[in-house]
Amino acid sequence: MEIIHVSAECYPVAKAGGLGDVVGALPKYQCKAGHIAKVVMPMYRTKFLYENEWTVDFKGSANLGNWFFEYTIIKEATNKLGFDLFLVDINGLLDRQKIYGYDDDTERFTAFQIAVVSWMNSWEHQPDVVHCHDHHTGLIPFMMQYCYDFSRLQGVPTVFTIHNGQYQGWMGWDKSRYIPRWDLWKRGMLDWADNINPLASGVKCATKVTTVSWSYMLELRYNSNGLEKLFEFEQGKCVGILNGIDNEVWDPKTDKYLTHHFSAKEVTKGKQQNKKVLCEQFGLNPGKPLFVFIGRLVGEKAADILPDAIMSSIHHTQGQANFLILGSGDTQVEWQFQQMIAPFQGMFNAVIGYDETLSHKMYAGADFLLMPSRVEPCGLNQMYAMRYGTVPIVRSTGGLQDTVVDMGDTDGFGIRFNEASIYDVDYSIGRAVSVYADQKHMEKMRKHMMQIDHSWESTVDEYTQVYASLK
Ligand code: ADP
Ligand code: GLC
């Protein structure tokens, strides 16, 4: 099958979070399974762009409302990622340093979607499926079906994957002029609560909808930032497929970012070596359990409760634990973490920012990974942690609930709690400190986790089945 993935992120080209990881890996494994999977994304000014070779594949033009623009589709020349990668260049609009966060993001991503659809409409053949990811690509199923200029694509099936239902890309109806000539009777297919809602439109117009875990699929019906009724109504075409992880990128035996490699067999020694390096770098004590948090410092991840929960744990465990934070986001949370560095020197440190190398070192060197998320559609961090023998401490929600079994249950290896509260996090850290004292038990859990298979190889089939059901 020929599958066209359309996304705002794709690792290693541009990544802000798990969406990038998924779109950088799923197509590669689809190609390995015999499909022709391709990725189309905006051309940002990233390191990857300057370090690789490109050929011009297509030049076209389109309109965003009254604004006429030209776009160029460039293709990575060497199949470096294991699939064909196409970037859409729209001069002045997409070619910026960051992926998101500009005042004109609505215009940027709407123009991007128009360019992608207009380009696909010019092809002599038709792909088997267009697979869109998150709200930045949510208008594509509508445009393919109801825009007169793209009528050649009308019969092409679409899949819309929701990685995060909290962000929906709302825009006022005044912006409907951006969408190329469309069937006005279909206004309802764009609308939710008197706004154009690209995420809702994607759900309404795509042939099939998937989310990135089974539990999140159910959760969306009672917690989806206003779209609960829509998910209730559309449940017949929605499927939950748990994300996989790229075992080639995330492998403690070969990881290019690690100084000490290890397999499940020598996990205790391997982790201790990595922990030592990390602790030396951040002034922590390798003799104590090391707890880490890696991620966006936002409400969804419940990062706001961590400063108090950590201080409370340091108090309750009488300094028997180390903590290391890596992330950026809410300035208030960033500030709180920075304020904790000096008073808790030797047991707490934080790096505010984004650092791919350090994240790998932390998965490898930590004993426990904290994920108190309020919302977690899938969560990749806990799966990376498991692959590196790090015990995940998670709130029971979404994909965390689907991947982590509490150590008190049969074959358990992690720690689960119910509330995103200081008390629950503090209590769970207490449980972790106790189990850490039993190194034999720790080793057993580590070995067990490292053998769990979350590879894309075993997940690709589930997407193939979805595509096959579209005809
Ligand atoms: P989300 O996509 O909601 O942020 P996921 O758990 O799916 O959460 O994926 C997060 C991805 O981003 C992981 O690969 C994680 O290692 C990475 N990540 C998040 N924050 C940082 C950071 N500050 N530095 C490096 N990597 C990060
Ligand atoms: C989103 C979700 C995260 C998920 C990722 C990849 O960013 O917040 O839980 O793992 O997408 O699907």
Side-chain angles (χ1 to χ4, degrees):
M1 278 189 216
E2 186 186 7
I3 307 145
I4 310 298
H5 290 276
V6 192
S7 168
E9 298 179 31
C10 172
Y11 176 83
V13 193
K15 160 176 164 183
L19 169 64
D21 286 349
V22 171
V23 179
L26 171 62
K28 177 167 91 179
Y29 289 96
Q30 287 178 326
C31 287
K32 285 189 182 183
H35 297 296
I36 304 166
K38 301 175 178 177
V39 171
V40 192
M41 65 182 295
M43 191 201 85
Y44 313 107
R45 291 197 177 282
T46 63
K47 204 164 151 245
F48 189 92
L49 174 70
Y50 297 112
E51 286 177 354
N52 289 281
E53 283 172 47
W54 304 89
T55 56
V56 173
D57 195 80
F58 186 77
K59 275 179 181 289
S61 60
N63 269 75
L64 181 75
N66 291 333
W67 183 60
F68 171 82
F69 67 91
E70 288 178 339
Y71 63 89
T72 307
I73 309 282
I74 58 171
K75 183 178 172 205
E76 192 273 313
T78 61
N79 198 266
K80 189 170 187 178
L81 305 183
F83 51 82
D84 283 347
L85 169 71
F86 298 91
L87 306 186
V88 181
D89 179 18
I90 304 178
N91 212 338
L93 206 61
L94 296 177
D95 53 345
R96 307 210 186 137
Q97 307 274 336
K98 287 191 301 176
I99 304 174
Y100 319 109
Y102 298 99
D103 289 344
D104 58 353
D105 277 356
T106 299
E107 285 72 18
R108 296 174 71 228
F109 289 106
T110 310
F112 164 65
Q113 295 175 82
I114 294 170
V116 172
V117 180
S118 131
W119 174 49
M120 290 191 300
N121 194 58
S122 75
W123 296 356
E124 275 166 23
H125 76 288
Q126 290 186 326
D128 292 293
V129 55
V130 175
H131 189 152
C132 303
H133 298 265
D134 270 356
H135 78 82
H136 315 96
T137 62
L139 295 173
I140 289 180
F142 177 89
M143 291 197 234
M144 287 171 59
Q145 284 219 43
Y146 303 121
C147 289
Y148 299 117
D149 298 347
F150 308 136
S151 55
R152 292 188 59 205
L153 295 170
Q154 214 169 28
V156 177
T158 49
V159 170
F160 184 53
T161 295
I162 299 172
H163 297 260
N164 196 328
Q166 297 296 304
Y167 305 100
Q168 302 172 2
W170 309 276
M171 54 178 111
W173 268 102
D174 54 319
K175 307 228 159 138
S176 63
R177 65 181 188 283
Y178 289 162
I179 302 169
R181 296 184 312 122
W182 50 282
D183 179 353
L184 293 175
W185 284 100
K186 301 297 177 201
R187 182 188 157 98
M189 301 305 257
L190 290 170
D191 185 80
W192 193 261
D194 287 333
N195 278 305
I196 295 180
N197 184 319
L199 191 92
S201 175
V203 173
K204 291 179 191 184
C205 300
T207 325
K208 272 251 160 104
V209 175
T210 72
T211 65
V212 290
S213 70
W214 317 292
S215 290
Y216 188 56
M217 180 91 273
L218 300 175
E219 219 170 283
L220 285 169
R221 290 188 216 155
Y222 57 88
N223 179 20
S224 52
N225 212 356
L227 300 186
E228 296 75 11
K229 286 211 167 69
L230 177 67
F231 286 108
E232 182 71 40
F233 185 74
E234 297 282 16
Q235 57 178 287
K237 68 170 177 188
C238 297
V239 190
I241 301 180
L242 189 71
N243 282 333
I245 61 173
D246 191 334
N247 275 351
E248 288 172 3
V249 176
W250 299 94
D251 184 353
K253 292 202 284 295
T254 55
D255 190 323
K256 65 178 178 189
Y257 298 117
L258 302 187
T259 34
H260 301 282
H261 293 123
F262 59 96
S263 65
K265 225 167 121 199
E266 69 272 9
V267 57
T268 304
K269 184 170 159 235
K271 285 193 72 68
Q272 192 58 32
Q273 287 170 327
N274 282 287
K275 181 174 172 182
K276 199 161 165 269
V277 174
L278 205 56
C279 287
E280 270 165 16
Q281 190 181 348
F282 291 100
L284 301 170
N285 180 346
K288 296 178 187 174
L290 175 61
F291 293 79
V292 300
F293 172 89
I294 301 165
R296 297 179 290 123
L297 303 178
V298 295
E300 258 175 76
K301 303 283 177 196
D304 49 302
I305 61 169
L306 280 179
D308 284 339
I310 290 173
M311 283 191 284
S312 175
S313 290
I314 289 176
H315 175 70
H316 284 138
T317 62
Q318 294 167 339
Q320 278 320 298
N322 288 304
F323 296 88
L324 181 59
I325 307 290
L326 169 62
S328 61
D330 293 348
T331 41
Q332 169 71 15
V333 181
E334 290 182 353
W335 182 82
Q336 278 179 291
F337 281 136
Q338 272 159 338
Q339 294 306 305
M340 286 168 62
I341 297 175
F344 295 108
Q345 212 178 2
M347 53 187 109
F348 175 87
N349 214 329
V351 175
I352 303 303
Y354 188 94
D355 188 336
E356 192 75 30
T357 308
L358 178 58
S359 75
H360 284 243
K361 290 186 169 163
M362 286 169 72
Y363 290 118
D367 298 296
F368 301 95
L369 175 92
L370 292 165
M371 285 186 88
S373 310
R374 293 192 175 91
V375 183
E376 197 60 82
C378 176
L380 299 172
N381 296 21
Q382 81 282 12
M383 294 198 261
Y384 298 148
M386 282 147 64
R387 181 134 167 93
Y388 286 66
T390 299
V391 176
I393 301 180
V394 306
R395 188 172 97 78
S396 295
T397 185
L400 299 177
Q401 178 169 310
D402 294 348
T403 51
V404 177
V405 183
D406 189 89
M407 61 186 185
D409 294 334
T410 318
D411 280 340
F413 50 82
I415 293 179
R416 274 173 49 169
F417 56 92
N418 290 327
E419 303 290 332
S421 66
I422 294 166
Y423 176 81
D424 272 21
V425 174
D426 182 15
Y427 180 76
S428 302
I429 292 173
R431 283 183 75 198
V433 170
S434 310
V435 72
Y436 183 81
D438 182 351
Q439 279 295 312
K440 272 214 166 115
H441 192 175
M442 284 295 286
E443 178 161 310
K444 200 173 142 217
M445 290 200 295
R446 285 170 173 155
K447 288 197 160 140
H448 177 78
M449 284 187 288
M450 289 179 77
Q451 266 134 26
I452 297 173
D453 179 12
H454 279 300
S455 64
W456 276 113
E457 274 101 341
S458 42
T459 306
V460 153
D461 256 12
E462 295 183 50
Y463 279 103
T464 309
Q465 281 166 28
V466 169
Y467 303 148
S469 73
L470 302 174
K471 295 281 161 165

